[in-house]
Amino acid sequence: MRVMQSAEPATARLTSVEWLIIAVACVGFAFDLYETLMMALLVRPAITELGGLRPGTPEFNLWVGLLFYVPNVAAGVFGLLGGYLTDLFGRKRILVWSILLYSVSACAAGFSTSLWQLLIFRCATLIGVSVEFVAATTWLAELFANPKRRESVLGYTQAFYTIGGLMVAGAYYLAVTYGEGLPMIRTGHQAWRYTLLSGLIPALPLLLVRPFLPESPVWQKKKSTIRPERPRISELFQPALRKTTLVATLLFACSYALPLGALQHTIRMVSGLADVQSFSPRQLEQAASGVQMFQELGGTTGRILFALLVIHVVSQRRRALLFFVPSLIVFPFLYFFAATRTLALLHLGLFLATMLFNGLHSFWGNYLPRVYPTRLRATGESFAANIGGRVIGVSAALLTTTLSNVMPGAGHAAQLAHSAGTVALFFLVLGAIGTFWLREPAGDRLPD
């Protein structure tokens, strides 16, 4: 099976195998977010049913924080191991198994009978998601060796990341609207359970195309050496890579804090808006899925915007600042003003905020493969993404839910909005300053 080699021009036509590679990557990225954003939609009804807790109480807020925080920390720790295994056993093998893991565990979560069961299954789901992101970006970067083609493929396939958000918003809306006509799960027709069951979908086409996927030729070449060295995490902190690893880890933490500390809590602010007070419970759930739809439309726009900019903006620092700096205005507008006013203003602010965050998230998918050598590429990416994002950055989830108990505001929804805005602003300022220490890759080729 032929994949693009470095001698080929970026304008060469893609082969059928290359299109298959891109399609699998698009499905994987889409369901990464599909599985991740489920909890933002489902956390309120799931905790209410399984725990019998009332929204806005300290106990309810504690479980919200746990369901956002603990699975992400587990994903960070085991995701780091997944990056190491990707360097050890190959990109394709780990990619396939990670997608199967998050599909099956998400489906199993739909049959949870307690909050602890739901928490355990969510840990398994996010472990699969965290490993898939690193394996997929590494795999794509090494398969498409031509620099311009590689940047475009990484940029546009990651645009499908937010398609997953649109899909889960649509799936939840359908489950809310038509769930009564579906087979009963346990004792009822709960929309959150049907939505979790739908997480099994990406495993089905993957089983059909797996035999046709090629392994990274770059990794195979390194693996075929007489005595290949095992990757070691300690190498990330040797003088040549120490600054790169520390700065990338810090900035990834600042980036990942935005959804965990703010964006994924926005749906729970809808109930506090003045123009939804007369809504029935079903209308309120439909309004929440509509907010999710605006969020993912903004995300898709941000991914496409990054894909268009990536060829024209060469400086990595400038690329990052193009998304960090406007966020310093948009996130405070959203959480200190729009989220306590009307549904229309919330839609606007959320669209812009998710546009900027998703452009920033795409930046990391393009940047990280370019600063680590082949034998450490997935390990380095995994450390920045998982230790930075899912261990350090995810602390924003607990910070937001804890602060919401003491923040000023007329009702728990307004308190949550002010808490999310405070946390987001802190990490944005830290990220914008830290960007000036970001390493610029040497040349446009992947390091050997």
Side-chain angles (χ1 to χ4, degrees):
M1 296 181 184
R2 182 183 70 82
V3 293
M4 178 173 284
Q5 301 301 314
S6 59
E8 293 182 272
T11 55
R13 296 176 68 88
L14 291 169
T15 67
S16 58
V17 173
E18 288 168 343
W19 278 115
L20 180 61
I21 291 166
I22 290 171
V24 169
C26 289
V27 170
F29 284 136
F31 276 91
D32 275 4
L33 196 63
Y34 190 95
E35 308 288 7
T36 301
L37 285 185
M38 279 184 179
M39 195 46 56
L41 286 162
L42 312 181
V43 66
R44 179 180 176 129
I47 293 177
T48 301
E49 179 188 340
L50 296 177
L53 302 176
R54 185 168 57 85
T57 62
E59 294 82 6
F60 182 93
N61 288 338
L62 174 63
W63 268 104
V64 172
L66 289 175
L67 284 167
F68 279 114
Y69 180 72
V70 175
N72 275 282
V73 171
V77 174
F78 287 95
L80 179 59
L81 175 62
Y84 173 82
L85 294 176
T86 300
D87 280 332
L88 194 61
F89 295 115
R91 290 44 169 134
K92 181 186 77 170
R93 183 182 301 176
I94 301 301
L95 173 69
V96 170
W97 282 106
S98 64
I99 294 176
L100 289 175
L101 173 62
Y102 72 56
S103 299
V104 173
S105 59
C107 178
F111 296 95
S112 298
T113 58
S114 69
L115 286 171
W116 286 107
Q117 280 188 11
L118 180 62
L119 181 62
I120 291 169
F121 285 127
R122 283 299 293 174
C123 287
T125 299
L126 290 196
I127 289 170
V129 167
S130 68
V131 174
E132 194 279 339
F133 172 77
V134 170
T137 53
T138 304
W139 187 55
L140 289 173
E142 293 177 352
L143 286 171
F144 295 90
N146 181 282
K148 288 187 177 180
R149 176 61 58 81
R150 182 187 66 239
E151 293 280 294
S152 295
V153 167
L154 281 169
Y156 283 109
T157 53
Q158 287 185 92
F160 278 80
Y161 193 81
T162 50
I163 298 300
L166 293 172
M167 290 164 58
V168 75
Y172 186 64
Y173 178 85
L174 292 174
V176 169
T177 306
Y178 303 107
E180 295 295 328
L182 296 174
M184 185 181 295
I185 301 177
R186 299 199 61 81
T187 59
H189 299 273
Q190 297 92 343
W192 67 270
R193 292 188 185 273
Y194 295 123
T195 308
L196 282 166
L197 289 177
S198 69
L200 189 62
I201 294 172
L204 305 178
L206 183 66
L207 293 175
L208 298 176
V209 303
R210 180 180 179 273
F212 304 101
L213 299 177
E215 182 53 274
S216 160
V218 178
W219 178 82
Q220 286 180 318
K221 182 179 178 181
K222 287 287 183 182
K223 192 68 175 177
S224 65
T225 57
I226 297 174
R227 295 184 63 184
E229 293 185 71
R230 287 175 175 265
R232 299 193 308 274
I233 294 175
S234 60
E235 293 180 76
L236 301 177
F237 298 95
Q238 295 300 313
L241 292 174
R242 185 187 300 131
K243 180 181 176 181
T244 297
T245 300
L246 292 176
V247 174
T249 300
L250 171 66
L251 294 184
F252 205 106
C254 293
S255 304
Y256 208 76
L258 300 179
L260 270 298
L263 295 174
Q264 291 188 25
H265 298 279
T266 309
I267 288 175
R268 294 191 292 123
M269 301 171 196
V270 173
S271 61
L273 297 172
D275 49 357
V276 304
Q277 296 305 305
S278 61
F279 283 15
S280 67
R282 171 176 277 192
Q283 288 175 318
L284 191 59
E285 286 189 322
Q286 289 174 335
S289 65
V291 168
Q292 184 72 32
M293 193 70 71
F294 268 89
Q295 178 171 328
E296 298 318 313
L297 287 172
T300 302
T301 304
R303 300 279 179 173
I304 294 173
L305 180 62
F306 177 83
L308 293 173
L309 288 174
V310 71
I311 301 298
H312 303 289
V313 181
V314 177
S315 168
Q316 300 295 326
R317 294 190 189 101
R318 187 172 299 173
R319 287 180 187 177
L321 287 171
L322 280 173
F323 294 97
F324 263 125
V325 173
S327 296
L328 290 167
I329 299 171
V330 169
F331 275 80
F333 163 76
L334 170 59
Y335 293 109
F336 295 134
F337 182 76
T340 58
R341 296 303 192 279
T342 67
L343 194 58
L345 283 173
L346 182 68
H347 286 163
L348 172 63
L350 191 57
F351 177 91
L352 295 173
T354 51
M355 179 187 74
L356 292 168
F357 163 71
N358 279 277
L360 191 59
H361 194 275
S362 283
F363 165 80
W364 292 113
N366 281 58
Y367 174 79
L368 290 173
R370 294 187 57 187
V371 292
Y372 291 104
T374 300
R375 53 182 296 277
L376 284 173
R377 185 162 292 127
T379 304
E381 288 185 59
S382 187
F383 190 93
N386 290 305
I387 300 303
R390 296 184 182 277
V391 174
I392 301 173
V394 76
S395 62
L398 277 180
L399 189 57
T400 296
T401 54
T402 302
L403 281 177
S404 67
N405 294 320
V406 297
M407 292 296 285
H412 66 85
Q415 289 177 299
L416 179 61
H418 295 154
S419 177
T422 301
V423 171
L425 186 59
F426 169 78
F427 282 102
L428 282 168
V429 170
L430 186 61
I433 295 172
T435 299
F436 291 96
W437 282 272
L438 192 68
R439 173 189 164 189
E440 291 287 346
D444 56 6
R445 303 287 178 180
L446 295 179
D448 291 331

